[in-house]
Amino acid sequence: MSLSPPILLKEREENNSRFVEKKPQTTSIDAEDPLQNLCLASQEVLQKAQQNGRSKCLKCGGSRMFYCYTCYVPVENVPVEQLPLVKLPLKIDIIKHPNETDGKSTAIHAKLLAPEFVNIYTYPCIPEYEEEDHEVALIFPGPKSVSIKDISFHLQKRIQNNVRGKNDDPDKPSSKRKKTEEPDLNDSKCKETTLKKIIFIDSTWNQTNKIFTDERLQGLLQVELKTRKTCFWRHQKGKPDTFLSTIEAIYYFLVDYHTDILKETYKGQYDNLLFFYSFMYQLIKNAKCSGDKETRKITH
């Protein structure tokens, strides 16, 4: 008997919640091996799938390992109810470069593990963010980027500027305009500065400029992540090891957001976003040690 999607989502969320509550606070995101002590759900389903080899996507019929990177669903021998379901504090939009190889992207992990919170768009087909620029931010390093802990301050400034703009009447001569009062920070509009959506660009670093310079993203608050080393096995040639994969960037942002913005102790709530990533990382690591070329082929 097949379960309906809402029931499956509820079951996955309950399983994930029980797991996080039972696990001790053993995350080691700053350790030498940041994937070593994650609070993860059982990866037995992935171990069995890896042993059995590729399986069929129930949507498109394609032969895939673990999940279909075209349909964003797990394959036949990876039951969806056995995957963790991660609840996020905000929505995530991922903008994928059209030349980014689907099978090599880690952005899909976020969609599989937090389907209600994550959307993936292929550039140039992306949403308009102009009307919600006071509650959206773009993760991208640069001279105008702010730190995560300063997000609320800068979003509040945007609210203030919007209020000022509405109070000014551009048709009146400047000498006849009434003096515009400073917006009240206790006003309900000024209080609504909670970040509601974060945007990530999914592409190689050499391809990001085309997306980043799009006028639909230019007016958004830019946020830069703290420096961390990547564990990604597909290291970009000529780039430093601080250039993170997409799923790593999402994970580290959420951990810092949880502690710096929500002001809550981090207890592994988002660790399962690395459910697939950590498993593949370990496969690659073991394959390199043993010289197992077949396993390395599977993960690629």
Side-chain angles (χ1 to χ4, degrees), residues 44-55:
E44 185 180 355
V45 63
L46 299 183
Q47 292 166 358
K48 289 180 179 178
Q50 194 267 327
Q51 291 168 2
N52 294 330
R54 290 173 172 267
S55 184

Side-chain angles (χ1 to χ4, degrees), residues 7-127:
I7 295 176
L8 286 175
L9 289 173
K10 185 178 180 182
E11 182 181 337
R12 287 174 64 190
E13 188 169 10
E14 288 175 351
N15 289 340
N16 189 62
S17 297
R18 286 198 297 270
F19 179 80
V20 170
E21 288 169 4
K22 289 179 182 178
K23 293 291 286 186
Q25 188 178 344
T26 56
T27 52
S28 59
I29 57 176
D30 295 316
E32 221 173 277
D33 183 355
L35 304 183
Q36 188 178 4
N37 294 318
L38 294 171
C39 297
L40 296 173
S42 171
Q43 293 175 320
E44 185 180 355
V45 63
L46 299 183
Q47 292 166 358
K48 289 180 179 178
Q50 194 267 327
Q51 291 168 2
N52 294 330
R54 290 173 172 267
S55 184
K56 185 176 68 174
C57 170
L58 295 175
K59 280 193 173 183
C60 70
S63 177
R64 304 281 189 263
M65 176 61 72
F66 304 132
Y67 54 82
C68 178
Y69 45 75
T70 305
C71 304
Y72 308 150
V73 294
V75 292
E76 192 172 21
N77 64 359
V78 180
V80 67
E81 63 270 19
Q82 293 185 33
L83 296 179
L85 186 66
V86 186
K87 186 176 181 180
L88 305 183
L90 38 67
K91 300 286 186 179
I92 292 177
D93 280 0
I94 300 171
I95 301 175
K96 190 170 74 70
H97 194 281
N99 294 337
E100 182 72 4
T101 305
D102 291 339
K104 294 183 178 181
S105 171
T106 61
I108 297 159
H109 300 179
K111 180 63 178 175
L112 287 164
L113 299 165
E116 292 185 305
F117 298 90
V118 178
N119 285 307
I120 299 178
Y121 302 94
T122 300
Y123 188 82
C125 299
I126 65 174

Side-chain angles (χ1 to χ4, degrees), residues 18 26 127 133 161 188 231:
R18 286 198 297 270
T26 56
D133 69 345
N161 291 336
S188 60
C231 291

